[in-house]
Amino acid sequence: MVAPTNRTQERLIATYRKKAKHYDITSRLYPAPGYPQRAQRLRSVRALGLRPGDSVIDMACGTGLNFSLLEKAVGPGGRIVGVDLTDAMLARAKDRIAANGWSNISLVQADAAGFGFPAGVNAILSTYAMTQVPECAEVIAHGAAALSAGGRWVVLDLKLPDSLPGWLAQLGTATVRPFASIDEWIMRRPWEAIRAAMQAELADLRWTELFFGTAFLAVGSRGPEPSGGRPQGSGQSD
Ligand SMILES: C[S@@+](CC[C@H](N)C(=O)[O-])C[C@H]1O[C@@H](n2cnc3c(N)ncnc32)[C@H](O)[C@@H]1O
């Protein structure tokens, strides 16, 4: 069991302990009714560019909602490591692994900020979690340093639309409220730190705004040369 290191972390763990049991159902409405969550997960996994036999970290994996997509991508010869801070979320992930008979997924209970990424990992994914991690820039940097040449870091998460009035932003991001102070989240603007860190640490960055700017998909890769990497555009929107 990981002992919380501060009040914010304590609150986050307590919140996810309460949410774990029904997370798979309630998260379908996350961040808002009508948001194509399954499609965005699929898109994120595709963006990893995984091949059969690859290794991938699912950072802050929660109950393992990405596992079936990752399994399809890496096949039985690949390796998946799910990392999360909350024991109750990992317990659900463990049940999912057992129910599906997956033998190539291991789970690690750890704070993303202190996690030692295994050197040479082929890809790292994080969905709906990085903006909750105050040290998100450091986590991006640690992961980027561990990636194999050409390996990709993919983050799917929530943000505030750039042009939304403050009051509407408060309303629209109510889903974040249980996990952290919404005011603190708005002030901290973690998606900007994630974008800056990915730009600084990876060979290229493709940043796509999703669902009217309330979410984003960020894809960066570690190129074989400083100017290398797989060809990608930037600043797309849909
Ligand atoms: C909204 S859930 C997302 C879970 C999963 N990635 C998904 O897409 O369904 C956020 C998860 O992040 C985890 N989390 C939050 N802060 C973390 C940290 N510092 N280190 C590791 N996990 C963290 C929580 O325990 C929770 O399981």
Side-chain angles (χ1 to χ4, degrees), residues 4-23:
T5 55
N6 56 54
R7 288 298 300 269
T8 311
Q9 208 176 72
E10 214 173 291
R11 192 170 148 204
L12 188 133
I13 293 171
T15 300
Y16 279 108
R17 278 186 181 148
K18 278 193 215 123
K19 288 178 78 75
K21 191 170 175 198
H22 303 294
Y23 179 82

Side-chain angles (χ1 to χ4, degrees), residues 12 16 23 30 41 60-62 65 84-86 89 110-112 127-129 132-133:
L12 188 133
Y16 279 108
Y23 179 82
Y30 190 75
R41 285 186 192 279
C61 64
L65 285 174
D84 204 281
L85 188 58
T86 309
M89 295 294 270
D111 183 349
T127 55
Y128 309 111
Q132 294 173 24
V133 180

Side-chain angles (χ1 to χ4, degrees), residues 91-157:
R92 296 271 146 189
K94 196 174 166 192
D95 291 346
R96 185 187 304 279
I97 293 167
N100 286 280
W102 293 320
S103 58
N104 59 345
I105 306 182
S106 45
L107 299 175
V108 179
Q109 190 185 0
D111 183 349
F115 180 68
F117 287 88
V121 68
N122 297 115
I124 306 167
L125 173 67
S126 188
T127 55
Y128 309 111
M130 269 299 109
T131 60
Q132 294 173 24
V133 180
E135 305 85 355
C136 53
E138 286 92 327
V139 177
I140 298 287
H142 294 160
L147 279 173
S148 62
R152 293 187 186 171
W153 224 133
V154 172
V155 178
L156 170 66
D157 215 318

Side-chain angles (χ1 to χ4, degrees), residues 2 31 57 62 67 87 94 131 141 187:
V2 171
I57 307 279
F67 289 172
D87 47 6
K94 196 174 166 192
T131 60
M187 289 293 288

